[in-house]
């Protein structure tokens, strides 16, 4: 966990200061071709509305099974959104060139909102699944997380380090 925090901080500083990772991405990455359907579909699963739906479902499951108010998913979702917004507004990283965009992005680039939302949704989902079922759910949920992450770069709206930062 500490290593992920250090990695995230290093990428955030690099993005804010246009450091070596940012310079490498700008000089070595090229405009993507037309967006494949998988990128368009999987990117939508990282929308805020999807995260809110997952949070509501997890809260309902916890409320039914535990007969208590499910504070953890609410705090995790709200706290995560606040954390990401604070980092985003502090770093103020520009997106790849507009000619690369295969969909219309919004806001600053670092960290990727869609990837961050997908990470939160996976964490919330795996948190309410029984240990026996969690193992079976791990591969599909991590695959979806990988697709959402890759789609943001493939759609030309994020640098790879924006996605890695969100994953960390």
């Amino acid at each position: 966990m500490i290593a992920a925090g250090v990695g995230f901080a290093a990428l955030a500083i690099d993005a804010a200061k246009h450091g070596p990772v940012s310079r490498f991405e700008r000089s070595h990455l090229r405009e993507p071709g037309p967006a494949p359907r998988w990128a368009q579909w999987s990117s939508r699963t990282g929308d805020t509305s999807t995260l809110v739906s997952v949070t509501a479902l997890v809260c309902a499951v916890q409320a039914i099974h535990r007969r208590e108010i499910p504070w953890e998913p609410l705090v995790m979702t709200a706290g995560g959104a606040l954390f990401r917004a604070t980092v985003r507004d502090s770093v103020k990283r520009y997106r790849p060139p507009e000619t690369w965009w295969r969909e219309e992005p919004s806001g600053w680039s670092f960290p990727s909102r869609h990837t961050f939302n997908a990470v939160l949704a996976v964490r919330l989902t795996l948190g309410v699944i029984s240990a026996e079922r969690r193992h079976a759910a791990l591969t599909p949920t991590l695959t979806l997380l990988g697709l959402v992450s890759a789609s943001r770069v493939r759609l030309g709206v994020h640098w790879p380090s924006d996605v890695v930062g969100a994953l960390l």
Side-chain angles (χ1 to χ4, degrees):
M1 191 60 124
I2 292 172
V6 169
F8 176 81
L11 280 177
I13 291 167
D14 184 273
K17 303 281 186 188
H18 309 291
V21 173
S22 295
R23 288 193 304 273
F24 177 84
E25 289 173 329
R26 285 192 181 278
S27 65
H28 287 79
L29 296 179
R30 300 291 172 245
E31 180 176 349
R37 289 190 195 276
W38 70 264
Q40 296 167 340
W41 175 85
S42 59
S43 182
R44 287 188 196 106
T45 64
D47 286 340
T48 301
S49 59
T50 303
L51 174 61
V52 169
S53 299
V54 167
T55 301
L57 182 60
V58 166
C59 285
V61 167
Q62 285 188 350
I64 290 168
H65 289 288
R66 297 181 185 167
R67 291 185 171 86
E68 62 184 35
I69 298 173
W71 292 109
E72 183 184 357
L74 297 171
V75 169
M76 186 183 285
T77 301
L82 180 62
F83 172 77
R84 191 198 150 276
T86 301
V87 171
R88 174 199 66 208
D89 293 342
S90 298
V91 171
K92 295 182 180 177
R93 185 181 200 188
Y94 289 101
R95 293 186 177 273
E98 191 172 340
T99 58
W100 292 19
W101 299 353
R102 301 301 180 254
E103 72 173 30
E104 191 66 31
S106 63
W108 298 106
S109 190
F110 184 90
S112 166
R113 176 175 42 93
H114 285 75
T115 303
F116 194 88
N117 287 347
V119 168
L120 281 175
V122 165
R123 168 60 182 87
L124 289 167
T125 302
L126 293 177
V128 294
I129 296 175
S130 67
E132 303 83 41
R133 292 189 177 146
R134 192 175 305 130
H135 182 71
L138 197 58
T139 299
T141 54
L142 292 180
T143 299
L144 182 59
L145 178 58
L147 287 171
V148 170
S149 302
S151 74
R152 303 311 293 161
V153 175
R154 186 62 180 84
L155 292 170
V157 294
H158 279 289
W159 300 105
S161 58
D162 298 336
V163 170
V164 172
L167 289 169
L168 290 173

